[in-house]
Amino acid sequence: MDWKSELNECISRLAPDKVVYLTDSNVVRYLDIPEAIVVPAGEPSKSIAGLETVWQGLMRAGATRHSLLVNIGGGVVTDLGGFAAGTYKRGVRHINVPTTLLAMADAAIGGKTGIDYCGLKNEIGVFKMPERVIIDASWLDTLPQELLRDGLAEVVKTTMLGSAAMYDVLLDLPERLDADSLRGATEFSARFKEKVVAEDPTEQGLRRILNLGHTAGHAFESLAARCGHPVSHGEAVAHGLLVTLILSSRFAGMDPAAAGTYASRLLRRHYSPLPAGALDEEKLLELMARDKKNARYGEVSFVLLRAIGQPIREAVVIDKASLCETLRQYRSIMS
Amino acid sequence: MDWKSELNECISRLAPDKVVYLTDSNVVRYLDIPEAIVVPAGEPSKSIAGLETVWQGLMRAGATRHSLLVNIGGGVVTDLGGFAAGTYKRGVRHINVPTTLLAMADAAIGGKTGIDYCGLKNEIGVFKMPERVIIDASWLDTLPQELLRDGLAEVVKTTMLGSAAMYDVLLDLPERLDADSLRGATEFSARFKEKVVAEDPTEQGLRRILNLGHTAGHAFESLAARCGHPVSHGEAVAHGLLVTLILSSRFAGMDPAAAGTYASRLLRRHYSPLPAGALDEEKLLELMARDKKNARYGEVSFVLLRAIGQPIREAVVIDKASLCETLRQYRSIMS
């Protein structure tokens, strides 16, 4: 079903006294909506200024506690709109219509909302579940390849956690990504994340598996930025997933061939190698040790897989020597 | 137990990794605390600027998701601090130590937090329950009579809802209010409100009884402000409670003598008559009809009592003619 029909059906069911739309300056050109709150496209809208734009738009529209905010856009719009909806009159309902692959697979789902503050990402926000996240992969054809590759990493991550069959589909993706080839896996990813979040909305346990690939991924991302050759979040996570697969074959019984298959058919096909400066072993270890997701400072823990589609719920602590060997194996696979 | 001992006990139990204190420029002089975030006393601190002061104070203190914010002050501090706690890193725990009678009996309890925005009170906020509200009536001796009378109305309201015995204590209050005479009823009010809120945190049903006296009270408050003779919220509610008692005797079987007793022993002893301009029948009816708590526009509904301590859970709709008669009866009792 296309997003408009699904949205209309959802609005009928929720019966709000008023519907207010929020979008950004890029997405608004694709919309045929009489009136919308429009924020500038890009991360700076996740700010107090952006928040005030949405609050004032809601007030101007005469929104009450029984109204509905529909956020149509990427992660910036759904994070910002969700936070505004969570705080306007102490909470009005909202629906997310993600228009980027990253937002469909990740950002728009799960109720984490917020803005950046004093240079820190998502420092201020609330947990506020959307009434519905409407996934329509047709939006993907409005995006440049670069943004599709960025979002693909989260889709790959989710299928690795949730479905060996869907993961196999991704192994056969064409080099040039498009809506048709991504549709099935995108919908699967969104619904899988919804399911995980429903079981553990405030990240006390199960939800942690969604960090698959992110411990190493964040370290790569930080180090690449620090050495003056920044890479996108998706690119960093894509490389982090290879580290995870190697660790999983060493410590969780995963078939060792999986790492090679992933590297040749997904990682190398869609992503560039990391800049050399992002591979410094000592610095990577230090960054991973500081990851806020570790239970204890300095003890680096990872979400691992027994096999594709079979995550281990409890994070596994990996010692420094094993991590070094794993990073060396990563480099030999990538070289 | 005094508030410091109770707070220390509570902090031990919660075991936060850091404790941050928020207070205002009036209350800070009574505190013996090494460091605190201090906002200017008064309503303007319930603003984005006030919020940023608290967020930045939390950041400067290095507060994490496992830290604790302790709000020590009146309703402005507990509303603002609760909202900041509800949004900093998507939520850290908080404790309220109310220092005014109004905050002890009402504002600090129940998890409604927020700031004023674009001239509208509490327009932006979240529901965020404090871990604990620490009631120590000794604070009341730091307050001027005017503020005590303002808070007294909410204490009277709560005892009317919850305890005939406690209400009888209030009938004997000395004209000059102090901590000792108010201690029992204040503690009762706080715990009663906590109980009601625990049953109905988001105001779907039972919590509505806490609006006792507020339909007429808000109308008096608005009209008095409009005619250039503003009265305090507590003063307006105190008069609203008399209207409620009259309605209760007409429509809910309450002893008709109750209105007279209330007027002579509470209302006239502690509050001035309303300014003449705040008694315009037509305007009052119009204001009550627009109250956002009415189920349907134009249908004025009230929380009523069968007797002191026996509220009716369902709001009762009162027709216009009966309302007019009730207002006339109110005037004759007050004259």
Side-chain angles (χ1 to χ4, degrees):
Chain A
M1 188 155 46
D2 72 89
W3 69 271
K4 281 183 208 166
S5 317
E6 195 172 339
L7 180 60
N8 286 335
E9 184 193 281
C10 198
I11 290 172
S12 302
R13 183 171 53 79
L14 296 172
D17 64 0
K18 193 161 301 234
V19 181
V20 182
Y21 295 87
L22 169 68
T23 189
D24 73 22
S25 52
N26 276 343
V27 176
V28 69
R29 80 185 78 153
Y30 301 104
L31 300 179
D32 173 26
I33 279 168
E35 257 184 290
I37 307 170
V38 182
V39 294
E43 190 76 17
S45 285
K46 280 182 62 172
S47 60
I48 292 181
L51 206 49
E52 290 205 71
T53 304
V54 187
W55 285 338
Q56 287 175 19
L58 286 163
M59 293 175 88
R60 224 178 356 254
T64 74
R65 281 181 212 173
H66 308 289
S67 300
L68 176 72
L69 180 65
V70 178
N71 303 316
I72 309 179
V76 167
V77 166
T78 59
D79 280 7
L80 174 66
F83 188 28
T87 50
Y88 179 73
K89 292 183 187 288
R90 297 201 190 94
V92 298
R93 294 169 295 175
H94 76 287
I95 288 177
N96 287 339
V97 183
T99 61
T100 67
L101 188 52
L102 192 61
M104 289 182 199
D106 192 30
I109 296 166
K112 285 191 183 174
T113 73
I115 58 171
D116 306 330
Y117 191 65
C118 292
L120 294 174
K121 284 204 70 167
N122 302 317
E123 181 71 355
I124 304 295
V126 292
F127 283 95
K128 166 73 163 63
M129 289 300 281
E131 301 299 315
R132 173 101 185 136
V133 182
I134 296 176
I135 304 293
D136 182 345
S138 311
W139 284 107
L140 300 181
D141 285 333
T142 69
L143 302 177
Q145 285 295 305
E146 191 188 312
L147 271 189
L148 289 176
R149 280 194 297 267
D150 196 27
L152 176 63
E154 297 290 343
V155 176
V156 170
K157 177 199 80 176
T158 318
T159 60
M160 272 186 186
L161 289 168
S163 165
M166 198 53 89
Y167 178 73
D168 283 344
V169 171
L170 292 180
L171 290 178
D172 290 329
L173 276 183
E175 200 162 325
R176 197 183 155 71
L177 303 169
D178 64 10
D180 277 345
S181 56
L182 290 165
R183 190 175 305 270
T186 303
E187 283 169 10
F188 171 82
S189 293
R191 299 312 163 204
F192 183 83
K193 181 169 176 189
E194 280 187 336
K195 226 168 51 189
V196 169
V197 168
E199 257 192 67
D200 176 24
T202 55
E203 198 158 348
Q204 305 301 310
L206 179 63
R207 189 166 179 166
R208 292 200 193 108
I209 63 168
L210 297 173
N211 292 321
L212 187 80
H214 281 63
T215 303
H218 281 147
F220 286 141
E221 193 178 356
S222 300
L223 202 50
R226 210 191 279 174
C227 76
H229 299 283
V231 299
S232 74
H233 177 71
E235 207 155 354
V237 168
H239 285 272
L241 288 171
L242 178 53
V243 173
T244 297
L245 290 176
I246 299 168
L247 284 170
S248 297
S249 66
R250 283 168 165 265
F251 298 100
M254 170 171 256
D255 176 0
T261 309
Y262 170 74
S264 61
R265 292 175 64 187
L266 272 167
L267 186 54
R268 269 200 292 256
R269 185 176 296 174
H270 301 289
Y271 300 93
S272 310
L274 290 172
L279 299 174
D280 183 294
E281 219 167 77
E282 271 308 308
K283 288 179 186 153
L284 284 174
L285 288 176
E286 196 203 307
L287 281 163
M288 289 192 268
R290 285 202 317 211
D291 192 304
K292 67 176 183 293
K293 292 184 297 292
N294 295 324
R296 262 180 291 278
Y297 182 87
E299 217 180 66
V300 192
S301 64
F302 289 82
V303 178
L304 298 183
L305 304 172
R306 274 193 199 86
I308 298 294
Q310 294 177 37
I312 300 176
R313 273 178 172 240
E314 291 298 310
V316 179
V317 174
I318 307 290
D319 65 275
K320 199 173 155 174
S322 306
L323 263 179
C324 287
E325 280 166 44
T326 301
L327 287 173
R328 265 169 242 149
Q329 197 175 337
Y330 160 85
R331 278 153 73 146
S332 82
I333 293 177
M334 286 305 290
S335 65
Chain B
M1 188 157 41
D2 73 89
W3 69 271
K4 280 183 208 165
S5 318
E6 195 173 338
L7 180 60
N8 286 334
E9 185 192 280
C10 199
I11 290 173
S12 303
R13 183 169 52 79
L14 295 173
D17 63 1
K18 191 161 303 233
V19 181
V20 182
Y21 295 87
L22 169 69
T23 189
D24 72 22
S25 51
N26 275 342
V27 177
V28 71
R29 82 186 76 154
Y30 301 104
L31 299 180
D32 173 26
I33 280 169
E35 255 183 292
I37 306 169
V38 182
V39 293
E43 190 76 16
S45 285
K46 280 182 62 173
S47 60
I48 292 181
L51 206 48
E52 291 204 69
T53 303
V54 188
W55 285 337
Q56 286 174 19
L58 286 164
M59 292 173 86
R60 224 178 356 253
T64 73
R65 282 181 211 173
H66 307 288
S67 301
L68 175 73
L69 180 66
V70 178
N71 304 315
I72 309 179
V76 167
V77 166
T78 59
D79 280 7
L80 174 67
F83 187 29
T87 51
Y88 179 73
K89 292 184 188 288
R90 298 201 189 95
V92 298
R93 294 169 295 176
H94 77 288
I95 287 177
N96 287 339
V97 184
T99 61
T100 67
L101 187 52
L102 192 61
M104 289 182 199
D106 192 30
I109 297 166
K112 284 190 184 176
T113 74
I115 58 171
D116 306 331
Y117 191 65
C118 292
L120 293 174
K121 283 203 69 166
N122 302 318
E123 182 70 356
I124 304 294
V126 292
F127 283 95
K128 167 73 163 62
M129 289 301 281
E131 301 300 315
R132 173 98 185 139
V133 182
I134 296 175
I135 303 294
D136 182 345
S138 311
W139 285 106
L140 300 180
D141 284 333
T142 69
L143 302 176
Q145 286 295 304
E146 192 188 312
L147 272 189
L148 289 176
R149 282 194 297 268
D150 196 27
L152 176 63
E154 298 289 343
V155 176
V156 171
K157 177 200 80 176
T158 317
T159 59
M160 272 186 187
L161 289 168
S163 165
M166 198 53 90
Y167 177 74
D168 283 345
V169 172
L170 292 179
L171 290 178
D172 290 328
L173 276 181
E175 201 162 324
R176 196 182 155 73
L177 303 169
D178 63 10
D180 278 345
S181 57
L182 289 165
R183 191 175 304 271
T186 302
E187 282 169 10
F188 171 81
S189 293
R191 300 312 163 204
F192 183 82
K193 182 169 176 188
E194 279 187 336
K195 226 169 51 190
V196 169
V197 168
E199 257 192 64
D200 175 24
T202 56
E203 199 158 348
Q204 305 302 308
L206 178 63
R207 189 166 179 167
R208 291 201 193 107
I209 64 170
L210 298 172
N211 293 319
L212 187 82
H214 280 63
T215 304
H218 280 146
F220 286 141
E221 192 177 358
S222 300
L223 202 50
R226 212 192 277 173
C227 76
H229 300 283
V231 299
S232 74
H233 178 70
E235 206 156 355
V237 168
H239 286 271
L241 288 171
L242 178 54
V243 173
T244 296
L245 291 175
I246 299 168
L247 283 171
S248 297
S249 66
R250 283 169 166 264
F251 298 101
M254 170 170 257
D255 175 1
T261 308
Y262 171 73
S264 62
R265 294 176 61 188
L266 273 166
L267 186 55
R268 269 201 293 255
R269 184 175 297 173
H270 302 288
Y271 301 93
S272 309
L274 289 171
L279 299 174
D280 183 294
E281 218 167 76
E282 271 308 309
K283 287 180 187 152
L284 285 174
L285 289 176
E286 197 203 305
L287 280 163
M288 289 191 267
R290 285 205 313 213
D291 192 303
K292 68 176 182 294
K293 291 184 295 295
N294 295 323
R296 263 181 291 279
Y297 182 86
E299 219 181 65
V300 191
S301 64
F302 290 81
V303 177
L304 298 183
L305 304 172
R306 273 193 201 87
I308 298 294
Q310 295 177 35
I312 301 177
R313 274 178 172 241
E314 291 297 310
V316 178
V317 174
I318 307 291
D319 65 275
K320 199 173 156 174
S322 306
L323 263 179
C324 288
E325 281 167 44
T326 301
L327 287 172
R328 263 168 245 149
Q329 198 175 335
Y330 160 85
R331 278 153 74 147
S332 82
I333 292 176
M334 286 305 290
S335 65

